[in-house]
Amino acid sequence: MTIKTVMVIGAGQMGAGIAQVFAQAGLQVFLNDMNEVALDKGMKNIEKLLARAVEKGRMEEEEKNSTLSRLTSTNTINDAQHCDLIVEAVVENMNVKTKVFKQLDEIAPKHAILASNTSSLPITEIASATNRASQVIGMHFMNPVPVMKLVEIIRGLQTSDETYQAIENLTHRLGKTPVEVSDFPGFVSNRILMPMINEAIYTLYEGVASVEDIDTVMKLGMNHPMGPLQLADFIGLDTCLYIMEVLHEGFGDSKYRPCPLLRKYVKAGWLGKKSGRGFYQYD
Ligand code: CAA
Ligand code: NAD
């Protein structure tokens, strides 16, 4: 199966990046969000990043224009009827995601693959909201999508080999590296990354060191490009909390207990970089 036209649902930090890399790889792309402001922000962000690539000499003006010509913003999910693949990148919440997948199952053509960019939620459960479980798969991009080379591909219990192969081939077309992963809470990436971030938050909560010092230890001591608290702000503290909750519930092990300070910040609306305040202040 050759994938030519895709829809990305959710134009937040992940959805906009995913739409950009698809359009750059020559696919026709619909970018959808139920929030007009978010959709507009997502499209503007793509334009800004492409303009910067031209400025830096990494892209010709012509390529920028042709990439943009392949991108259509839409406020209706009904455009899924024109697509071979739909990638969902809405909030990390099972109820919201299954509602989207139920709708997509009715609208998308019979041959279309339905993929989720979920960070941690079970693909098998998302697939059970549809009548095409063999064509449902996890396609987990990393943030920032245009820069990061990895795509974790998650097979649900009933994902077919044909579906897996189509997504693996597409990942190569995007210039990224696929890794095949089984459907377990947090997959590989967030099973390892998120407990580290949660532990960094506990380290702050227990007064062991300051925000800056915790990040400096991990940047200079372990050569991480960002400290764990800066990375948590970058990912979004709401997303970090949802992922820890999935790990905690999924494994039933207290070692995954989300730090109370993380819960407090999310309750306060301190969601990190996207809300202007998290462990750091952004203005
Ligand atoms: N979107 C697109 N491009 C971006 C970007 C963004 N948000 N931020 C930086 N870039 C690009 C810049 O344009 C720049 O390229 P040019 O120099 O050609 O313009 C390049 O990346 C390097 O950027 P900077 O020099 O400004 O900064 P840097 O060297 O510190 O790199 C970084 C920025 C790539 C984000 C780096 O800090 C990094 O790798 N951080 C860790 C990222 C990470 O761990 N991501 C995984 C998060 S977990 C996840 O995604 C899974 C999940 O489910 C939660
Ligand atoms: P975000 O909050 O930046 O964006 C989510 C967008 O989805 C918002 O613009 C919202 O308006 C939109 N949305 C919500 N419900 C919708 C619906 N029913 N229909 C259409 N649009 C809807 O979130 P994000 O950080 O882009 O995360 C999106 C998904 O990607 C989550 O599942 C998250 O776990 C996953 N993910 C996030 C990261 C990260 O670093 N932030 C990395 C990899 C994967």
Side-chain angles (χ1 to χ4, degrees):
M1 171 184 171
T2 311
I3 296 168
K4 291 187 181 140
T5 306
V6 299
M7 176 179 252
V8 180
I9 304 192
Q13 50 179 344
M14 293 306 290
I18 296 167
Q20 179 185 332
V21 297
F22 279 144
Q24 277 181 245
L27 289 107
Q28 292 294 330
V29 185
F30 290 99
L31 179 59
N32 164 267
D33 201 295
M34 63 178 194
N35 177 337
E36 287 282 353
V37 177
L39 187 55
D40 194 47
K41 193 172 158 203
M43 290 296 283
K44 288 218 165 75
N45 209 20
I46 296 173
E47 282 167 34
K48 207 172 81 192
L49 286 170
L50 292 175
R52 193 155 136 199
V54 172
E55 244 172 62
K56 292 230 165 183
R58 281 189 277 109
M59 185 182 273
E60 297 294 329
E61 180 75 25
E62 204 178 302
E63 192 189 339
K64 182 196 90 176
N65 293 335
S66 65
T67 298
L68 287 173
S69 74
R70 286 189 287 274
L71 262 166
T72 308
S73 68
T74 175
N75 57 12
T76 167
I77 197 173
N78 287 334
D79 284 317
Q81 66 186 298
H82 309 296
C83 297
D84 307 308
L85 166 70
I86 296 97
V87 179
E88 164 279 313
V90 305
V91 63
E92 187 75 347
N93 175 292
M94 183 55 89
N95 289 336
V96 179
K97 288 198 192 284
T98 47
K99 220 167 134 192
V100 170
F101 272 76
K102 267 199 182 93
Q103 273 181 284
L104 286 174
D105 193 32
E106 282 166 20
I107 299 164
K110 282 209 157 27
H111 74 275
I113 293 174
L114 310 183
S116 176
N117 183 53
T118 178
S119 295
S120 58
L121 292 164
I123 299 302
T124 305
E125 190 176 342
I126 293 174
S128 72
T130 74
N131 291 309
R132 58 175 98 188
S134 65
Q135 288 159 244
V136 176
I137 195 161
M139 189 175 193
H140 184 208
F141 291 84
M142 302 294 129
N143 188 13
V145 182
V147 179
M148 306 300 279
K149 291 288 175 215
L150 178 74
V151 176
E152 247 185 340
I153 306 181
I154 303 104
R155 277 181 187 263
L157 186 64
Q158 299 178 73
T159 307
S160 69
D161 289 344
E162 199 188 350
T163 299
Y164 179 82
Q165 207 51 58
I167 296 303
E168 189 185 77
N169 293 346
L170 180 63
T171 301
H172 287 301
R173 273 171 73 195
L174 301 177
K176 299 199 184 285
T177 303
V179 169
E180 183 179 347
V181 174
S182 296
D183 194 14
F184 269 82
F187 319 127
V188 172
S189 54
N190 282 313
R191 183 171 179 167
I192 298 172
L193 174 70
M194 215 38 81
M196 183 196 71
I197 287 177
N198 196 45
E199 202 57 34
I201 303 171
Y202 269 115
T203 310
L204 175 70
Y205 181 61
E206 290 169 10
V208 179
S210 68
V211 170
E212 289 79 6
D213 286 349
I214 291 167
D215 277 351
T216 299
V217 166
M218 297 307 286
K219 277 193 289 186
L220 301 187
M222 282 78 194
N223 240 0
H224 290 195
M226 283 176 170
L229 300 174
Q230 186 190 2
L231 183 56
D233 273 1
F234 180 61
I235 291 167
L237 300 190
D238 49 345
T239 302
C240 293
L241 177 59
Y242 300 147
I243 296 169
M244 282 312 297
E245 280 170 342
V246 169
L247 293 174
H248 195 207
E249 199 195 314
F251 290 116
D253 189 326
S254 62
K255 75 178 178 182
Y256 298 111
R257 189 170 70 105
C259 180
L261 189 63
L262 176 61
R263 281 195 195 287
K264 191 183 268 188
Y265 278 21
V266 172
K267 283 209 173 99
W270 293 7
L271 306 183
K273 207 171 172 199
K274 66 182 167 188
S275 74
R277 174 116 205 216
F279 294 106
Y280 294 88
Q281 181 105 35
Y282 305 86
D283 286 313

